[in-house]
Amino acid sequence: MRHALLLAGVLGAGLTLAGCTTPEMAGPPAPPPPAPPEVIPKPPVTATPLIWQPGHWDWNGSGYVWTPGEYVPRGGHSDMFMPGYWAQSPTGGWQWQPPHWLAAGG
């Protein structure tokens, strides 16, 4: 019985460690290209106030793809927009820091 418990413990530890892998490079291996010039169109006429959110590069697993800017509902947004950016990860590669709206009034 004691041998069976020891064997079960060793097998359990082995299975736990089998799921552990060395950290791989996080995100793309190189920074994105420069952002293309973006022409901000006139906002559409809507009953909802809109605010422009600039475009950015996204990583699709094999390359960067441009996500164009767009008008988004202003509700809850301040005038202060913090654009997203790519930062080098401590584990290698690049990591996307998403854009966000700073809190109104602060």
Side-chain angles (χ1 to χ4, degrees):
M1 180 71 170
R2 189 173 194 187
H3 180 67
L5 288 175
L6 180 60
L7 181 60
V10 169
L11 287 176
L15 291 174
T16 300
L17 292 175
C20 296
T21 60
T22 58
E24 294 184 21
M25 188 168 29
E38 201 167 21
V39 176
I40 301 173
K42 288 184 177 182
V45 177
T46 65
T48 304
L50 302 173
I51 195 162
W52 179 255
Q53 181 169 292
H56 63 274
W57 288 107
D58 276 326
W59 180 253
N60 69 4
S62 62
Y64 286 103
V65 291
W66 180 251
T67 299
E70 63 182 336
Y71 281 98
V72 296
R74 183 183 174 99
H77 298 306
S78 69
D79 289 332
M80 297 295 297
F81 180 76
M82 175 63 73
Y85 61 94
W86 286 92
Q88 196 155 22
S89 168
T91 60
W94 292 80
Q95 193 169 34
W96 175 243
Q97 306 299 313
H100 60 278
W101 295 93
L102 300 175

